[in-house]
Amino acid sequence: MQESRSVKIKAVAKSAVVKSVLISLLRQPNQIVALLGDEVDGVLQPGFRQVGLSILDKVLFPQAANLLADWNGLQNAVELSLVWPAFWRVFWMTVSDPCNASMAALPQARVLKKPVATAAHPRAFRGTKYQPPKPVQPALDLCRWLADARLLDAFFTRHDFSVFPVLDARGQVMSLPAGFMISSATLYFHHWNTPAQELPVMAEAFRRCFLWQLRACSADMQMAWLRIWHQYSSLSAGEALLTQTLPVLARLCAMNSGDTHGAQLALLLPENRQAIFLNIVMREVQGKLSPQQMSVDQLMRLHDLSEDDTRFEFYLRNILRNLGRQVTVEYSLTGCLLYEASDISELLDYMLSAKHDCQDVPVDAIVRACDAAGIKSWVSLWDYCAELPGLAQLLLETRWEKISQEAAETWLNIFYKFVGEDEKGKLQAKWQVYLKLFSSCHDVLISLPTERQNKLAQMWCCFIGGWDDALTLPQAVHDFLPLMQRLCLPPFKAEIDYGHSFVNIVETWPIDKRAEVIAIDDSIWRQFELACRREDNVNLLTYGSYSFVNVAPDFLRTSLMAAPARFFKVCSLLGSLHYERRQLFMKKRVATDWFALDWHAMPPLVACQRILALCKEAGMDSPLPRRLREYLEGSLSLSPQQIARHCRLSLSRLPSLRLHALTAALWVEMDGDFRLHDTSASVRHALRLLAGLSNITGRNRKGLRRFLIHARDGKALEHMQHPLNQAWYARHPRIQQAGWQAGLQRTVQTEKEDLTLAFEHDPFEVLMLGSYAGSCLGIGGLCDYSAVACLLDANKQVLYARNTQGKVVARQLLAIDDADQLVCFAVYPENISQDVKAAFKAYDLELAAQLGLPLYQEGEGCSYDVATILAQDWWDDGSWLEE
């Protein structure tokens, strides 16, 4: 069904009844009686239902009859000149209301009847040649044009008004300005004088690209778009306008013709940024941009932010994307300001993507905090101000001038622990608790000497992040904050970082027994510091203590109090296992008699007998005194007092003995079928390295396991003859295999001692390159799998610097890339002296010369590609940039 124009007969229509009658006359006059029966019943006199259509036409509504006659004449028109006055009479009688140009239209009901098939002339029967003639169609379909605004506009566009001019409602020729572009909308506005002034002459481009989109808009809106068009026309050259600004502006008008704010804002920008602005407005907010969303001042501040059009587009895109998430332009603009001030060269959308709005962003406090920390994390803090309500106040309250730079950076990391999509509700609940705890630690922090503040900041950061129960967190802070302050003062070292191992240990104590851990002697905490002297050791200790917390918290407490040194060693050894294997191992162990029996409820002598039996089963030395063992064997008599004394001594050794049993079980777990435990310390290191690689996610695990099997069978160097390694040598004929595998051996003198630099040929020692240097390639490090790649791949060699006692002082990884360049990686540990680094540099140059290979140098356009051969993956640490 096609839509007809809304009907408004200004001189005749006096009521809803009359209007309904007129509509029906134009649609289906044959059904007027039925309509009267529905619409007029009870309004007109009784019996009016039977009044004929002639009475209605001649008496009640004479003009309706004239209108109906014009409509019927238009339906059968074959020549435009005969019905031109009637056409305009119908047009002006059915024009839309001035106040509502987009009024809903009624459907046209005229449908052509299909010829009826008869026996004489079966039109649809097969084999019949005769076809009934179709009804004669009018040459002009004026009624359809009047019923469809689109067809009417198209008719006006093609019509020659010099031959048949426009007629007004009285049938008089209308005088229009010269060059006036005719359309139904413009005729309407000109006739009814809305607005008061006449529309100016429209350019062909505006009529073609804009006027059609504005046909249902009010006169004011059409005039607004026309003014915008003329402003753009005056700014740009014709061709540039048609090819750049005009298509974008026209599309914006088509998407949201009822809003001109975006187009008006674009006019304030230079011509090179107008199309950028309009495109982004269309793409990000579908052309809908109100003055309340973005003001002129905000746009000009954004424009002044950067002279680079690419950065302007980047900022505008993120501002409007955030606007779609109900984030105000002002908040997003503040983030853009901080982003630009951070001198971040890359344009990273995620950094300016805000999920929540924020009305309070203390820019000055953010800058002070980052200056105190020596970082430029302004954008991150801007984002967290919305994620963490109340953060702005904390930034203002922090006494940054009294905090060391290192401690300030760590202090800022605390806020990052409350942001995340996982368990967001739980994090927000903890954040609300933290707001109340902030000042307590802050006051302690600024009271410490500056060189010891970072240790407390690290402990506080791990404590808040590691304590899961937000409800018990305030009491835990009240109980353990004095202990943390105590561990940050002499005699404890300032540079030791406990990681999460501290909170793992103290959270096992119930509230009513926390006085025990607070009163622990300093000697135990000194043992704790010794166990945390290196970062990879801290990771292992954290992993192991976490398993004790989950599976055997009572055992953790008793072991720490009775045998702290051995407890920390067992924690570190247990942490060597990957998570799933570690949890399964502990669950099995706590089910054994060592942990399941209630030793304190057993008679002392019975408990000692059971301890002796368990030690024999595990192949462990008995902790029982010799005289008690002889008494149990029946070869010696003891008095009850002697038996009691020996039993007390034996049972006092139980915590340490259980740790011994756990250690033995751990080595059985890790050694398995390899039977290499008793070979050497480096072999045991390899077993621990394998235990930390998961069956599912452990990269290079298969290669390391195969190596250990070969080592068990006496073929430790079998991997060097692997077809993949030999194929690599074949692809690089320039490489002298013997020379590359042997390397050089050079002895150098340094200020401290003499060092020998040479390639490591013991494969088990090669696997220790991370553990020797305390880097992430060691056991417990994030990239421990990469140590395996350094062993398995033929294009990688490990260079050690050993002192006269054979101790590794420093190490370096060397590799040959696909372009036959010698690539030298960083020397570890990072705190070695400059003369040691110079010795490594001299060695690298001499080795490159002997191999006849170029030494890779970092620079513009330079790159390298070191392949993995037998290994699955490895960590590329980046080439060495000497200081």
Side-chain angles (χ1 to χ4, degrees):
M1 299 281 293
Q2 297 180 352
E3 295 183 355
S4 67
R5 301 172 61 85
S6 301
V7 177
K8 182 71 174 180
I9 302 182
K10 305 182 184 306
V12 180
K14 303 298 182 180
S15 67
V17 174
V18 175
K19 187 172 183 179
S20 299
V21 171
L22 293 176
I23 292 172
S24 297
L25 287 174
L26 293 178
R27 295 175 59 203
Q28 295 183 8
N30 294 332
Q31 297 182 9
I32 185 61
V33 176
L35 179 137
L36 288 173
D38 294 335
E39 300 289 343
V40 193
D41 192 16
V43 178
L44 301 178
Q45 295 295 328
F48 186 75
R49 187 188 305 268
Q50 287 77 28
V51 176
L53 183 60
S54 59
I55 298 176
L56 176 68
D57 293 340
K58 296 178 181 179
V59 179
L60 187 60
F61 303 121
Q63 293 190 30
N66 296 333
L67 182 61
L68 179 58
D70 288 339
W71 184 259
N72 291 331
L74 294 177
Q75 285 182 323
N76 302 313
V78 294
E79 187 176 345
L80 188 60
S81 59
L82 300 178
V83 293
W84 189 244
F87 172 86
W88 285 103
R89 285 194 296 269
V90 173
F91 174 82
W92 292 116
M93 292 295 285
T94 58
V95 76
S96 303
D97 291 329
C99 61
N100 189 9
S102 58
M103 183 177 175
L106 296 174
Q108 182 185 14
R110 180 171 177 261
V111 179
L112 297 178
K113 293 183 178 180
K114 183 179 179 181
V116 179
T118 65
H121 306 290
R123 180 181 179 84
F125 289 176
R126 185 176 302 173
T128 303
K129 295 182 178 180
Y130 176 78
Q131 299 288 330
K134 294 182 179 179
V136 178
Q137 296 293 328
L140 302 174
D141 200 359
L142 297 177
C143 289
R144 188 177 180 186
W145 296 349
L146 285 168
D148 193 326
R150 294 172 299 177
L151 296 177
L152 185 61
D153 286 355
F155 165 68
F156 285 151
T157 302
R158 298 191 304 269
H159 179 70
D160 185 359
F161 285 93
S162 63
V163 179
F164 294 106
V166 178
L167 304 180
D168 61 15
R170 295 182 299 276
Q172 302 299 317
V173 176
M174 293 180 60
S175 59
L176 299 176
F180 194 85
M181 294 297 175
I182 301 298
S183 74
S184 58
T186 55
L187 284 173
Y188 163 69
F189 295 133
H190 181 77
H191 177 76
W192 292 106
N193 199 22
T194 307
Q197 68 276 15
E198 292 184 350
L199 288 174
V201 177
M202 299 180 185
E204 172 66 20
F206 181 82
R207 183 187 63 78
R208 185 177 65 252
C209 299
F210 287 82
L211 196 55
W212 169 248
Q213 308 298 339
L214 302 171
R215 64 190 184 280
C217 294
S218 65
D220 292 337
M221 188 58 62
Q222 290 202 13
M223 289 296 298
W225 277 105
L226 186 60
R227 284 192 293 269
I228 291 172
W229 164 253
H230 281 299
Q231 287 178 287
Y232 277 102
S233 301
S234 62
L235 291 174
S236 302
E239 188 64 27
L241 177 67
L242 291 175
T243 58
Q244 296 179 15
T245 313
L246 172 60
V248 180
L249 189 64
R251 187 178 176 197
L252 180 65
C253 175
M255 293 179 68
N256 189 21
S257 57
D259 185 5
T260 62
H261 183 64
Q264 291 171 341
L265 284 180
L267 281 167
L268 304 175
L269 297 171
E271 295 182 35
N272 60 318
R273 290 191 172 182
Q274 289 177 358
I276 295 175
F277 180 84
L278 294 174
N279 270 309
I280 295 179
V281 167
M282 288 189 300
R283 185 168 60 248
E284 301 299 339
V285 293
Q286 291 73 50
K288 300 177 181 179
L289 190 64
S290 66
Q292 293 73 27
Q293 291 175 320
M294 175 177 279
S295 65
V296 173
D297 174 67
Q298 290 170 336
L299 176 63
M300 298 318 297
R301 279 189 284 152
L302 174 61
H303 168 64
D304 295 336
L305 200 57
S306 174
E307 296 180 356
D308 186 356
D309 288 348
T310 303
R311 297 185 77 87
F312 170 77
E313 180 179 358
F314 166 71
Y315 293 138
L316 179 62
R317 180 175 67 248
N318 282 280
I319 287 175
L320 296 186
R321 284 181 181 176
N322 292 343
L323 193 60
R325 293 186 284 268
Q326 308 302 315
V327 177
T328 61
V329 170
E330 189 62 33
Y331 176 60
S332 299
L333 190 57
T334 303
C336 296
L337 172 67
L338 295 173
Y339 196 100
E340 185 69 19
S342 301
D343 295 329
I344 303 175
S345 58
E346 294 181 277
L347 302 181
L348 306 172
D349 285 325
Y350 74 89
M351 294 190 68
L352 291 176
S353 178
K355 301 180 181 63
H356 308 283
D357 190 36
C358 182
Q359 302 297 325
D360 185 14
V361 182
V363 175
D364 293 340
I366 289 176
V367 173
R368 283 196 302 112
C370 292
D371 288 346
I375 58 177
K376 290 188 176 182
S377 298
W378 301 333
V379 181
S380 296
L381 290 177
W382 160 83
D383 186 29
Y384 295 152
C385 282
E387 294 280 347
L388 304 173
L391 175 60
Q393 187 62 31
L394 296 191
L395 294 175
L396 292 170
E397 293 178 0
T398 304
R399 303 284 297 276
W400 298 106
E401 69 280 0
K402 291 191 174 184
I403 303 177
S404 67
Q405 178 175 324
E406 194 177 13
E409 183 177 2
T410 306
W411 190 252
L412 289 177
N413 289 333
I414 299 174
F415 304 135
Y416 304 161
K417 293 185 175 296
F418 297 99
V419 179
E421 293 302 322
D422 296 337
E423 299 183 339
K424 190 170 184 178
K426 183 178 179 180
L427 292 176
Q428 289 294 321
K430 184 187 284 191
W431 169 250
Q432 295 302 320
V433 174
Y434 178 77
L435 289 175
K436 304 174 183 178
L437 302 174
F438 167 81
S439 59
S440 58
C441 185
H442 174 265
D443 296 341
V444 174
L445 179 70
I446 61 178
S447 69
L448 292 173
T450 54
E451 68 275 6
R452 293 184 172 271
Q453 289 177 343
N454 189 51
K455 184 174 183 179
L456 179 65
Q458 289 174 332
M459 294 182 68
W460 179 250
C461 187
C462 293
F463 190 88
I464 295 297
W467 199 277
D468 294 330
D469 188 1
L471 297 178
T472 60
L473 182 59
Q475 183 63 43
V477 171
H478 177 271
D479 294 339
F480 295 121
L481 183 57
L483 176 58
M484 289 189 279
Q485 183 180 10
R486 170 183 154 197
L487 294 177
C488 294
L489 295 172
F492 302 103
K493 296 181 179 180
E495 65 276 6
I496 296 296
D497 178 16
Y498 304 130
H500 284 83
S501 57
F502 174 79
V503 66
N504 286 347
I505 291 173
V506 299
E507 73 172 334
T508 59
W509 262 266
I511 295 179
D512 57 342
K513 295 183 179 181
R514 284 178 181 171
E516 297 178 3
V517 68
I518 295 173
I520 287 178
D521 188 73
D522 285 355
S523 61
I524 294 179
W525 294 119
R526 293 291 296 275
Q527 292 288 342
F528 182 46
E529 279 201 344
L530 186 63
C532 296
R533 64 189 182 277
R534 293 170 64 169
E535 182 179 354
D536 50 356
N537 288 349
V538 174
N539 292 337
L540 294 173
L541 192 60
T542 299
Y543 301 153
S545 60
Y546 182 76
S547 293
F548 278 119
V549 170
N550 287 338
V551 181
D554 294 337
F555 178 60
L556 183 150
R557 293 195 295 269
T558 57
S559 300
L560 178 66
M561 303 290 286
R566 182 165 295 279
F567 168 73
F568 294 131
K569 289 182 179 179
V570 173
C571 272
S572 180
L573 186 62
L574 178 62
S576 301
L577 300 177
H578 64 80
Y579 175 77
E580 293 82 2
R581 189 175 181 183
R582 184 170 66 246
Q583 293 296 100
L584 182 61
F585 171 81
M586 282 300 298
K587 289 178 180 179
K588 289 181 178 179
R589 296 315 301 170
V590 296
T592 62
D593 287 350
W594 283 111
F595 301 94
L597 293 177
D598 187 357
W599 295 97
H600 299 287
M602 299 170 64
L605 188 59
V606 175
C608 290
Q609 290 176 323
R610 186 57 185 151
I611 289 174
L612 184 61
L614 290 175
C615 288
K616 289 181 179 179
E617 291 177 8
M620 298 167 50
D621 294 336
S622 171
L624 275 62
R626 176 182 57 81
R627 292 171 60 84
L628 182 59
R629 293 198 306 271
E630 291 177 353
Y631 170 77
L632 293 175
E633 293 171 356
S635 59
L636 183 66
S637 297
L638 294 176
S639 66
Q641 294 80 6
Q642 291 174 321
I643 295 174
R645 185 173 64 254
H646 287 314
C647 287
R648 284 195 302 271
L649 178 62
S650 300
L651 292 176
S652 67
R653 296 171 178 173
L654 181 61
S656 179
L657 187 62
R658 292 201 292 181
L659 290 172
H660 273 289
L662 191 59
T663 301
L666 277 169
W667 281 118
V668 171
E669 174 74 15
M670 291 185 287
D671 195 13
D673 296 333
F674 300 120
R675 300 185 297 278
L676 295 171
H677 172 265
D678 298 329
T679 306
S680 66
S682 60
V683 173
R684 288 190 289 274
H685 174 276
L687 294 173
R688 294 179 64 186
L689 187 62
L690 176 65
L693 300 177
S694 171
N695 295 342
I696 301 175
T697 61
R699 289 167 284 188
N700 298 337
R701 181 182 183 277
K702 185 180 296 184
L704 179 57
R705 179 174 177 79
R706 187 182 297 112
F707 162 75
L708 290 174
I709 293 174
H710 289 161
R712 179 196 64 188
D713 300 336
K715 301 181 289 186
L717 299 178
E718 184 72 16
H719 60 281
M720 297 307 300
Q721 306 304 319
H722 193 280
L724 292 179
N725 279 329
Q726 294 302 311
W728 179 84
Y729 279 114
R731 291 195 302 271
H732 298 269
R734 187 176 176 182
I735 309 302
Q736 303 172 12
Q737 182 172 352
W740 170 241
Q741 290 181 351
L744 303 175
Q745 181 170 329
R746 296 292 181 265
T747 300
V748 297
Q749 291 183 340
T750 64
E751 294 181 0
K752 187 176 181 180
E753 56 190 340
D754 292 346
L755 298 177
T756 299
L757 277 70
F759 280 2
E760 183 56 56
H761 297 113
D762 184 344
F764 289 101
E765 288 290 319
V766 169
L767 291 172
M768 297 189 68
L769 81 161
S771 297
Y772 276 142
S775 69
C776 61
L777 271 65
I779 298 175
L782 294 176
C783 303
D784 52 0
Y785 64 90
S786 192
V788 182
C790 298
L791 167 71
L792 298 179
D793 289 347
N795 60 348
K796 303 174 182 69
Q797 293 288 352
V798 176
L799 173 63
Y800 282 147
R802 297 180 183 268
N803 59 16
T804 54
Q805 290 77 36
K807 179 183 177 181
V808 174
V809 176
R811 63 91 170 161
Q812 183 184 32
L813 176 64
L814 303 176
I816 298 176
D817 77 338
D818 289 344
D820 290 345
Q821 300 176 103
L822 180 63
V823 184
C824 307
F825 296 93
V827 179
Y828 286 93
E830 297 177 346
N831 59 353
I832 59 173
S833 60
Q834 290 297 325
D835 55 348
V836 176
K837 292 182 180 179
F840 275 92
K841 181 62 177 178
Y843 184 98
D844 296 341
L845 292 171
E846 186 177 355
L847 178 64
Q850 177 171 315
L851 295 175
L853 301 178
L855 189 66
Y856 173 79
Q857 299 290 340
E858 195 75 28
E860 185 177 357
C862 299
S863 63
Y864 65 87
D865 186 9
V866 177
T868 55
I869 305 174
L870 201 55
Q872 292 176 302
D873 198 3
W874 80 293
W875 173 253
D876 186 344
D877 204 24
S879 63
W880 185 23
L881 301 176
E882 303 92 335
E883 298 178 359

